[in-house]
């Protein structure tokens, strides 16, 4: 959530008592999957309990705090007794700054095209944007959607928040020591590195640009094949942003409010939230004994205390101060025990362009003693000159290791680009030896070619063939679409060089050609060749069609003169005789 601490925020209509109650219920919750895991995290008093079910889905905000203000009480259908933990805001605070609203709606439109099965509503982006940054601090954005000043969350140094050491060398958050959530949708740099998008078409992915951030948030919420029209997927998506039940309830409250209607307000005039989930969060202090030891009373005067030491009297020595208590150590997590990742018997990764890979990547997390470690989050990242993705269209997936310590990546889906690409497995929140996998995309091929008609292909010298040649390509019985092919008039079955006589095609200038390349089957696996023409040569000629992978089909073409011979007609004299 944004934090310009020196800036005076406008106070809402809530009373101090209500705000205090909200703070008690909504102290800094911890989002799932921060790159720092739980290392050094200090649970604060009143912190929301994390929801384990979302822990494997990744993370966006890195456990940053958020605004807890509730929707206005004058919503179209106000609830008489809201149950969401949070602070009611003053009436009239439901407007969304115009540029920010436009960014949300443009992101929804792009996701409707690229991931129609996700069913992302722009109101969900608005709800998260409200909770995370107060709609880019009331719409303080330039015309291109970039915030007038960077929106930065608190330093994630483990003091009341997650511990996330620097991952971007300060490029986005200005800190080379620890990370901070950035921008109107509050992405931490390590998440933005793979989730960032260019939403305004300027060629940059800027977390402080509301168009970029909104589109990135949309794709993030739609990851893992989620359908947000289903309640379970909707809740899982929100919890993947911040793993807190209070956060979930708050976002759902704003989502419901915006679905009932909203309006745009001029940029910079939006109302600012006033209450944060970390207000009143105590910082770490040195532990103290609740019952410190008491010194023994000195003996009464005159009472002998036994033989004294030279130069001493009967006084007791000053008691030694108690040793300071040892600060409690953070419990070790499974991630802390991981020494390296190991391939888990992944088979060769090869698939034809446009097809799914049949084999899946398996990676095992192991200790230094090569023992498997369960409940460790492993991130799989696709890189290289490729358009391959995981199922669902993402290039990054985070999976938790099972009881055997193995994380199975989602199935890979080959794109149209052929060649090799790389999938890298790393441990989330720990720098240890990872595993690189090479995957290969091959050209589309067909294993069978057949004519779609059995009509003989015949022509007279100097004429044109009445029927065009059409073939169907299949691969393992299924339609083989987008398969490259060539067609050549050959000399003979044994001499497949181009013929210099007989039937021919015409180029765009009408000149004879006897080889066609750059052909491709259509979506139904069909390939229809242009019209064929005949020169003055007669006889049987051969047309050979060859597809990628070497499958061929030879088609016979016959050129013969018209048969003008017929039964002799009766002589005129015979026909006229009586």
């Amino acid at each position: 959530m944004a934090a310009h601490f020196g800036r005076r925020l406008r106070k809402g209509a809530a009373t101090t008592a209500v705000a205090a109650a909200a703070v008690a219920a909504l102290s800094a919750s911890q989002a799932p999957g921060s790159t720092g895991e739980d290392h050094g995290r200090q649970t604060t008093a009143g912190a929301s309990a994390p929801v384990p079910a979302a822990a494997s889905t990744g993370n966006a905000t890195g456990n940053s705090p958020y605004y807890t203000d509730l929707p206005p009480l004058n919503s179209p259908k106000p609830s008489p007794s809201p149950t969401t933990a949070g602070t009611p805001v003053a009436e009239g605070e439901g407007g969304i700054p115009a540029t920010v609203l436009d960014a949300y709606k443009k992101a929804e439109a792009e996701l409707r095209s690229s991931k129609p099965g996700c069913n992302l509503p722009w109101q969900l982006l608005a709800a998260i944007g409200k909770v995370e940054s107060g709609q880019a601090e009331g719409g303080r954005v330039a015309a291109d959607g970039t915030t007038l000043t960077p929106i930065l969350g608190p330093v994630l140094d483990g003091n009341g928040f997650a511990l996330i050491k620097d991952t971007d060398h300060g490029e986005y958050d200005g800190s080379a020591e620890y990370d901070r959530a950035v921008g109107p949708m509050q992405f931490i740099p390590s998440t933005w590195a793979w989730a960032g998008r260019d939403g305004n078409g300027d060629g940059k992915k800027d977390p402080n640009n509301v168009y970029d951030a909104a589109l990135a948030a949309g794709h993030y919420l739609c990851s893992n094949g989620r359908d947000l029209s289903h309640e379970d997927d909707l809740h899982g998506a929100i919890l993947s942003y911040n793993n807190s039940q209070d956060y979930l309830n708050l976002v759902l409250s704003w989502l419901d409010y915006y679905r009932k209607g909203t309006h745009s307000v001029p940029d910079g005039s939006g109302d600012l939230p006033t209450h944060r989930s970390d207000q009143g969060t105590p910082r770490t202090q040195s532990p103290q004994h609740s019952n410190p030891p008491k010194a023994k009373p000195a003996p009464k005067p005159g009472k002998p205390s036994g033989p004294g030491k030279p130069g001493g009297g009967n006084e007791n020595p000053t008691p030694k101060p108690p040793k300071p208590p040892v600060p409690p150590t953070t419990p070790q997590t499974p991630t802390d025990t991981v020494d390296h990742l190991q391939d888990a018997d992944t088979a060769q990764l090869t698939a034809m362009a446009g097809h799914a890979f049949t084999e899946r990547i398996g990676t095992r997390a192991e200790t230094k003693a090569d023992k498997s470690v369960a409940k460790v989050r492993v991130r799989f990242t696709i890189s290289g000159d490729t358009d391959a993705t995981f199922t669902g269209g993402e290039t990054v997936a985070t999976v938790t290791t099972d009881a055997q310590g193995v994380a199975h990546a989602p199935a890979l889906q080959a794109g149209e680009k052929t060649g090799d690409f790389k999938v890298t497995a790393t441990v989330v929140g720990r720098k240890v030896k990872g595993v690189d996998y090479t995957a290969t995309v091959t050209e589309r091929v067909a294993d069978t070619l057949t004519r779609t008609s059995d009509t003989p292909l015949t022509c007279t010298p100097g004429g044109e063939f009445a029927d065009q040649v059409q073939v169907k390509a299949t691969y393992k019985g299924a339609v083989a679409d987008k398969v490259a092919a060539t067609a050549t008039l050959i000399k003979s079955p044994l001499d497949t060089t181009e013929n210099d006589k007989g039937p021919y095609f015409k180029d765009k200038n009408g000149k004879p050609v006897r080889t066609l390349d750059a052909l491709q089957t259509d979506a139904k696996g069909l390939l229809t060749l242009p019209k064929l023409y005949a020169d003055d040569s007669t006889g049987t000629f051969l047309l050979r069609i060859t597809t990628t992978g070497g499958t061929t089909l030879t088609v016979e073409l016959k050129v013969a003169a018209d048969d003008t011979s017929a039964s002799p007609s009766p002589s005129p004299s015979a026909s006229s005789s009586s």
Side-chain angles (χ1 to χ4, degrees):
M1 188 205 74
H4 283 290
F5 295 106
R7 184 173 168 189
R8 184 173 181 177
L9 299 179
R10 190 165 133 196
K11 292 185 178 179
T15 64
T16 303
V18 174
V23 168
L26 285 171
S27 296
S29 60
Q30 301 297 326
S34 64
T35 56
E37 287 279 295
D38 291 334
H39 309 317
R41 189 178 79 184
Q42 297 161 357
T43 304
T44 58
S48 303
V51 184
S56 64
T57 59
N59 132 283
T61 65
N63 305 343
S64 294
Y66 51 89
Y67 288 115
T68 60
D69 298 50
L70 284 168
L73 298 178
N74 64 337
S75 57
K77 296 180 180 179
S79 172
S81 56
T83 58
T84 303
T87 308
V89 300
E91 297 184 0
E93 294 190 6
I96 300 176
T99 298
V100 179
L101 179 60
D102 184 58
Y104 296 150
K105 291 185 175 181
K106 279 185 166 58
E108 178 198 53
E110 196 278 342
L111 267 299
R112 190 186 305 121
S113 173
S114 62
K115 294 183 179 178
C118 176
N119 297 302
L120 170 82
W122 66 261
Q123 291 92 340
L124 177 58
L125 297 175
I128 291 175
K130 180 69 174 181
V131 171
E132 291 295 344
S133 70
Q135 310 298 16
E137 296 190 324
R140 296 183 67 250
V141 296
D144 68 349
T146 302
T147 57
L148 299 182
T149 55
I151 299 177
L152 300 173
V155 176
L156 300 175
D157 58 1
N159 186 19
F161 309 109
L163 171 61
I164 305 181
K165 294 185 179 180
D166 176 64
T167 62
D168 67 332
H169 305 291
E171 178 183 357
Y172 296 120
D173 56 15
S175 172
E177 187 174 4
Y178 299 101
D179 273 350
R180 305 172 73 175
V182 182
M185 303 305 281
Q186 289 290 274
F187 280 96
I188 55 172
S190 59
T191 302
W192 185 261
W194 62 265
R197 293 290 195 280
D198 176 15
N200 62 352
D202 64 357
K204 297 184 294 184
K205 299 176 183 178
D206 182 2
N208 276 304
N209 182 281
V210 70
Y211 287 100
D212 295 357
L215 184 59
H219 277 277
Y220 182 88
L221 294 165
C222 287
S223 62
N224 299 319
R226 294 191 185 102
D227 180 354
L228 301 184
S229 64
H230 296 161
E231 183 177 279
D232 287 348
D233 282 358
L234 173 63
H235 290 190
I238 297 171
L239 288 170
S240 76
Y241 224 86
N242 189 314
N243 193 25
S244 156
Q245 188 64 44
D246 288 336
Y247 182 89
L248 171 64
N249 293 342
L250 187 61
V251 171
L252 289 175
S253 180
W254 278 104
L255 172 61
D256 182 61
Y257 176 79
Y258 287 133
R259 276 177 165 165
K260 292 175 182 177
T262 188
H263 59 281
S264 67
V265 297
D267 290 345
S269 66
D271 295 282
L272 294 173
T274 57
H275 301 92
R276 297 176 5 129
S277 62
D278 64 333
Q279 283 177 326
T281 298
R283 291 295 184 263
T284 305
Q285 296 179 353
S286 299
Q288 297 180 353
H289 278 290
S290 57
N291 296 305
K294 297 180 180 179
K296 292 182 179 180
K300 294 180 179 180
K303 185 177 180 180
S305 58
K309 295 181 180 179
N314 292 330
E315 296 181 358
N316 286 338
T318 303
K320 295 180 180 179
K323 293 182 179 180
V326 178
T329 57
T330 303
Q332 195 174 45
T333 68
T335 300
D336 295 328
T337 69
V338 177
D339 176 75
H340 59 273
L341 294 179
Q342 182 70 36
D343 173 48
D345 300 322
T346 302
Q348 185 176 5
L349 299 168
T350 303
M352 192 164 60
H355 290 65
F357 284 74
T358 56
E359 299 294 335
R360 290 175 60 184
I361 294 173
T363 304
R364 182 182 297 104
E366 296 182 347
T367 65
K368 193 172 184 178
D370 296 333
K371 291 185 177 181
S372 300
V373 185
K375 299 182 180 180
V376 174
R377 296 192 307 118
V378 177
R379 178 168 293 154
F380 298 94
T381 305
I382 296 173
S383 60
D385 184 16
T386 182
D387 53 357
T389 65
F390 293 112
T391 301
E394 300 298 328
T395 58
V396 177
T398 302
V399 182
T400 302
T401 57
D402 58 20
Q404 287 72 45
V406 177
H408 292 281
L412 287 165
Q413 176 68 40
E416 294 304 321
K417 289 186 177 181
T418 60
D420 294 342
F421 64 91
K422 185 170 69 173
V423 180
T424 301
T426 57
V427 175
V428 176
R430 186 170 174 81
K431 292 183 179 181
V432 299
K433 180 183 177 183
V435 183
D436 287 333
Y437 298 87
T438 298
T440 303
V441 178
T442 61
E443 292 182 293
R444 292 175 181 257
V445 298
D447 56 16
T448 305
L449 286 174
T450 56
R451 278 193 65 198
T452 58
S453 171
D454 56 4
T455 302
L457 298 167
T458 61
C459 182
T460 58
E464 65 180 52
F465 287 80
D467 298 306
Q468 291 176 248
V469 177
Q470 185 182 69
V471 299
K472 183 173 184 177
T474 57
Y475 179 73
K476 295 183 178 180
V479 167
D481 60 329
K482 299 182 181 179
V483 176
T486 60
T488 304
L489 279 305
I490 60 175
K491 292 181 178 179
S492 71
L494 298 178
D495 185 358
T496 58
T497 58
E498 182 181 300
N499 208 337
D500 56 0
K501 62 181 179 179
Y504 59 89
F505 301 104
K506 288 183 179 180
D507 65 12
K508 61 182 181 180
N509 297 318
K511 294 183 179 180
V513 292
R514 291 187 170 87
T515 296
L516 298 177
D517 52 19
L519 302 174
Q520 190 180 80
T521 60
D522 63 16
K524 297 180 179 180
L526 298 176
L527 176 63
T528 304
L529 300 181
K531 275 192 173 185
L532 279 162
Y533 302 86
D535 60 12
D536 294 334
S537 303
T538 59
T540 299
F541 300 88
L542 301 178
L543 170 66
R544 175 159 290 182
I545 302 171
T546 304
T547 65
T548 302
T551 300
T552 63
L553 175 66
T554 302
V555 180
E556 284 192 352
L557 307 172
K558 291 186 178 181
V559 179
D562 284 334
D563 186 2
T564 56
S565 61
S567 301
S569 57
S571 63
S573 58
S575 61
S576 61
S577 62
S578 54

